[in-house]
Amino acid sequence: MATARDLRPPGAATAEPGARRRLRQPRLANMVADQLRARILAGELPDGATLPKQEDLFEEFGVGLPAIREALRILETEGLVTVLRGNVGGAVVRQPRPSKVAYMVGLVLESRDVGIEDVASALRRLEAVCVALAAERADRHETVVPRLRARIAESRAVVDDADAYVQQARGFHEDVVATCGNETMILVVGALESLWSAHVDTLTRRTAQFGPFLDLETRRHSIDEHVRLVDAIESGDTAGAEEIVLAHLAEPERYPFVAEGTTVRAALIGDA
């Protein structure tokens, strides 16, 4: 069991008494939060699990209740727990999710008044990296190509419906990133894909402002481009795959909200 002595910061014994009083509780709270965070990230406390009651944590760590409460506030601020107030009480574990990354990225971009076309430009270049990685995968015939071809089949099935097609088309690009094989790219680029898709979903699909996608031939041409891209990935043609996706994503103005110069809106992540 961790005790207050175990959690005491190095050098605390030689600190001035006044400084020790000022630093003791915040330092202990951070150390308790560190240990609970490590358990959550290691999966010892799974998503949806309830943390022990504050009194039990007090017994385990041997620190005051104020330090325990502050530790829970730290974890709640990080989004790792949801503290339930009232008679129910307790703290519920929330494992980190990619959607949280997308939301935080959206908040930062919105605070800087960044236009959604900036996200589109970044995605164009980063998705080219993802398709090259997918084309390099030795197991692409089992892990990448079947998933992308299945998405194309779903797109063909709804090609007569502009709303449904736009949704499937966005899903195709999300699948490209998700199957690239590099976990860091999947997380980072996937967050941008989620942010972009939320804008497409809310500002295009939900308002029925499909721009050129209202034209059936445009939707069919989009499917043809997706097929060419998957063919290049399947054959291991990294340069060809990059060239295709760069050309395919070169016209973000196809979406009306881009042409209007819409600023990134983080709240759309929650609405999508």
Side-chain angles (χ1 to χ4, degrees), residues 129-178:
V129 176
C130 289
V131 298
L133 288 170
E136 291 173 355
R137 291 189 64 167
D139 62 351
R140 62 186 179 278
H141 300 289
E142 294 77 38
T143 58
V144 181
V145 175
R147 180 168 171 176
L148 297 183
R149 294 214 184 277
R151 179 69 75 169
I152 290 173
E154 292 171 358
S155 300
R156 289 191 191 280
V158 298
V159 71
D160 291 327
D161 183 335
D163 180 9
Y165 178 76
V166 167
Q167 184 177 21
Q168 291 298 330
R170 286 308 316 146
F172 175 85
H173 289 278
E174 292 173 359
D175 288 345
V176 166
V177 174

Side-chain angles (χ1 to χ4, degrees), residues 29-180:
N30 283 327
M31 292 177 184
V32 171
D34 287 346
Q35 293 201 25
L36 292 175
R37 184 188 303 108
R39 295 181 194 175
I40 293 172
L41 297 180
E44 295 175 20
L45 295 168
D47 190 67
T50 302
L51 288 182
K53 294 179 180 179
Q54 292 186 21
E55 292 77 10
D56 295 332
L57 292 174
F58 165 76
E59 290 295 330
E60 177 180 352
F61 291 106
V63 299
L65 285 177
I68 296 296
R69 295 190 186 103
E70 179 60 24
L72 294 179
R73 279 194 288 270
I74 291 170
L75 297 176
E76 186 173 35
T77 299
E78 295 174 350
L80 293 176
V81 302
T82 299
V83 177
L84 305 176
R85 273 82 181 183
N87 294 331
V88 179
V92 179
V93 173
R94 303 299 181 198
Q95 284 285 339
R97 293 184 177 87
S99 60
K100 294 180 182 178
V101 178
Y103 182 66
M104 290 305 299
V105 170
L107 285 177
V108 174
L109 293 177
E110 184 172 353
S111 73
R112 297 182 179 182
D113 200 31
V114 173
I116 192 63
E117 73 279 358
D118 196 80
V119 176
S121 177
L123 270 178
R124 177 173 178 259
R125 289 159 176 79
L126 291 172
E127 195 168 319
V129 176
C130 289
V131 298
L133 288 170
E136 291 173 355
R137 291 189 64 167
D139 62 351
R140 62 186 179 278
H141 300 289
E142 294 77 38
T143 58
V144 181
V145 175
R147 180 168 171 176
L148 297 183
R149 294 214 184 277
R151 179 69 75 169
I152 290 173
E154 292 171 358
S155 300
R156 289 191 191 280
V158 298
V159 71
D160 291 327
D161 183 335
D163 180 9
Y165 178 76
V166 167
Q167 184 177 21
Q168 291 298 330
R170 286 308 316 146
F172 175 85
H173 289 278
E174 292 173 359
D175 288 345
V176 166
V177 174
T179 57
C180 76

Side-chain angles (χ1 to χ4, degrees), residues 190-227:
L192 293 179
E193 287 282 5
S194 296
L195 186 62
W196 173 257
S197 291
H199 285 73
V200 171
D201 186 65
T202 303
L203 303 181
T204 295
R205 291 186 56 239
R206 294 187 187 178
T207 58
Q209 296 179 10
F210 301 113
F213 287 107
L214 279 173
D215 178 41
L216 177 59
E217 288 307 310
T218 298
R219 300 197 295 272
R220 287 174 174 166
H221 178 65
S222 176
I223 290 176
D224 290 340
E225 290 179 326
H226 289 177
V227 170

